[in-house]
């Protein structure tokens, strides 16, 4: 009989946020898959937990994923943790859960803190509807395209960003999205927790004088569409793509142009347009 994989949330900075169930699960399982075993070892030592660990990260997911699945299929129970927060969210654990689904291995969740949701709760922006985008690509053109696709998104936008890329990201957001409200959260739950509620323009000015430190969660105000501003359904947007295509515009370019105009994602428009053409 196959074992079970437990997706275990860990603190994002304050060890007191570790749940009793998370501690007991890590004590009970046969092994722990960790993004960085050195970071996880500190956590385990704090709670006096001694368990075999498997290093599982972006650079070895194929090799280690197969090894972990073999362990689970052989009847061992395992847990997956990330350095901080919930595994599988902008994290290689996503691939391991997919492998479990493909191999009929049961997966259970032991929920814990999430930097994205914590930052949203503190942002002072609309929390009823939101979109989590994770890290933007480091490729400048790709970053512009991603932001262009979000230009008309009315839901609150959540991003992760590293300190060395923060200035460029803020500048690109201002250029594409305009001067919106933004909340910049860092060091959440730690002694130097900081939440700066400001605007993109003011944030750019602030970090010209101040060096960014620590990992950031950026919570950005959604688009405020005017009552008279034209809005489109996805069906209308696809029709626009097909109309441009009939005029000789390459389908990929047509999808890109319409995505900028309507706010729908280029890939979705392209895929649906191809289906209509078949």
């Amino acid at each position: 009989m196959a074992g079970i994989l437990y997706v275990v949330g860990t603190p994002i900075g304050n060890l007191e946020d570790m749940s009793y169930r998370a501690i007991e699960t890590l004590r009970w399982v046969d092994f722990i898959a960790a993004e960085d075993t050195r970071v996880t070892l500190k956590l385990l030592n704090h709670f006096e937990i001694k368990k075999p660990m498997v290093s599982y990260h972006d650079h070895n997911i194929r090799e280690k994923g197969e090894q972990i699945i073999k362990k689970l299929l052989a009847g061992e129970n395992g847990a997956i943790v990330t350095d901080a927060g919930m595994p599988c969210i902008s994290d290689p654990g996503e691939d391991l859960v997919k492998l479990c689904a493909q191999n009929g291995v049961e997966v259970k969740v032991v929920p814990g803190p999430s930097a994205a949701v914590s930052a949203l709760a503190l942002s002072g922006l609309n929390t009823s509807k939101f979109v989590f985008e994770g890290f933007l690509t480091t490729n400048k053109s790709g970053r512009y395209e991603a932001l262009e696709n979000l230009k008309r998104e009315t839901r609150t936008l959540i991003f992760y960003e590293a300190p060395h890329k923060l200035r460029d990201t803020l500048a690109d957001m201002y250029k594409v999205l305009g001067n919106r409200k933004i909340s910049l959260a860092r060091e959440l739950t730690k002694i130097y927790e900081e939440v700066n509620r400001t605007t993109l323009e003011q944030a750019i000015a602030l970090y010209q004088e101040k060096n960014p430190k620590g990992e950031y969660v950026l919570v950005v105000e959604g688009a405020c569409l005017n009552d008279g501003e034209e809005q489109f359904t996805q069906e209308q947007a696809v029709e626009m793509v097909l109309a441009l295509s009939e005029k000789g515009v390459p389908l990929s370019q047509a999808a890109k142009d319409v995505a900028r105009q309507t706010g729908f994602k280029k890939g979705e428009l392209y895929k649906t347009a191809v289906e209509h053409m078949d």
Side-chain angles (χ1 to χ4, degrees):
M1 183 176 177
I4 299 171
L5 176 71
Y6 291 85
V7 177
V8 180
T10 56
I12 57 176
N14 191 324
L15 289 176
E16 293 181 8
D17 292 334
M18 188 74 168
S19 75
Y20 176 79
R21 184 180 172 215
I23 294 170
E24 290 304 302
T25 299
L26 295 182
R27 283 180 176 156
W28 176 77
V29 295
D30 298 301
F31 68 92
I32 298 169
E35 181 181 7
D36 187 328
T37 55
R38 296 165 299 180
V39 173
T40 300
L41 182 60
K42 293 177 183 178
L43 178 74
L44 298 182
N45 286 341
H46 180 81
F47 292 105
E48 299 181 346
I49 299 171
K50 296 185 182 298
K51 286 291 171 179
M53 281 192 287
V54 178
S55 175
Y56 180 79
H57 48 73
D58 281 324
H59 303 295
N60 69 3
I61 55 175
R62 180 169 297 178
E63 173 194 354
K64 294 293 185 178
E66 291 176 358
Q67 292 179 16
I68 293 169
I69 288 296
K70 286 180 181 178
K71 284 177 171 287
L72 294 166
L73 289 174
E76 293 187 49
N77 295 298
I80 181 167
V81 298
T82 186
D83 290 350
M86 282 301 298
C88 311
I89 309 299
S90 288
D91 174 81
E94 174 187 4
D95 291 272
L96 185 57
V97 172
K98 287 178 182 177
L99 276 177
C100 286
Q102 291 167 7
N103 288 274
V105 175
E106 185 177 1
V107 180
K108 293 188 177 182
V109 66
V110 182
S114 164
V117 174
S118 299
L120 175 66
L122 295 174
S123 69
L125 297 174
N126 184 1
T127 63
S128 61
K129 295 182 179 180
F130 59 91
V131 179
F132 176 65
E133 289 290 318
F135 289 95
L136 287 167
T137 177
T138 55
N139 177 274
K140 196 166 186 68
S141 61
R143 194 159 66 244
Y144 272 132
E145 183 174 351
L147 291 171
E148 283 283 359
N149 287 338
L150 293 167
K151 194 171 183 177
R152 292 173 58 86
E153 175 59 69
T154 57
R155 291 170 292 183
T156 301
L157 308 172
I158 306 175
F159 303 88
Y160 286 159
E161 194 51 279
H164 65 280
K165 295 194 300 177
L166 181 66
R167 287 172 174 151
D168 287 341
T169 295
L170 291 174
D172 291 343
M173 285 180 172
Y174 179 75
K175 184 173 182 180
V176 177
L177 304 178
N179 190 28
R180 300 189 186 182
K181 292 178 182 177
I182 181 173
S183 172
L184 301 93
R186 57 181 289 273
E187 300 292 302
L188 290 175
T189 75
K190 301 177 185 177
I191 191 170
Y192 295 113
E193 176 177 296
E194 179 181 67
V195 180
N196 188 359
R197 303 175 189 88
T198 182
T199 65
L200 279 167
E201 186 176 36
Q202 291 170 339
I204 290 169
L206 173 66
Y207 285 102
Q208 284 176 345
E209 302 174 358
K210 177 181 178 180
N211 285 326
K213 293 181 180 179
E215 299 292 323
Y216 285 80
V217 184
L218 309 179
V219 185
V220 183
E221 180 182 31
C224 298
L225 300 180
N226 298 323
D227 291 339
E229 189 172 351
E230 188 175 10
Q231 298 184 47
F232 303 89
T233 65
Q234 185 170 11
E235 184 178 350
Q236 290 172 328
V238 172
E239 289 175 357
M240 292 164 65
V241 173
L242 293 171
L244 287 174
S245 177
E246 289 175 1
K247 293 179 181 179
V249 179
L251 193 60
S252 178
Q253 184 62 48
K256 183 176 182 180
D257 292 343
V258 174
R260 287 179 177 174
Q261 184 179 349
T262 63
F264 290 105
K265 292 186 177 180
K266 170 190 169 184
E268 292 177 357
L269 294 178
Y270 181 88
K271 180 181 177 182
T272 308
V274 169
E275 291 173 353
H276 277 67
M277 296 171 70
D278 288 344

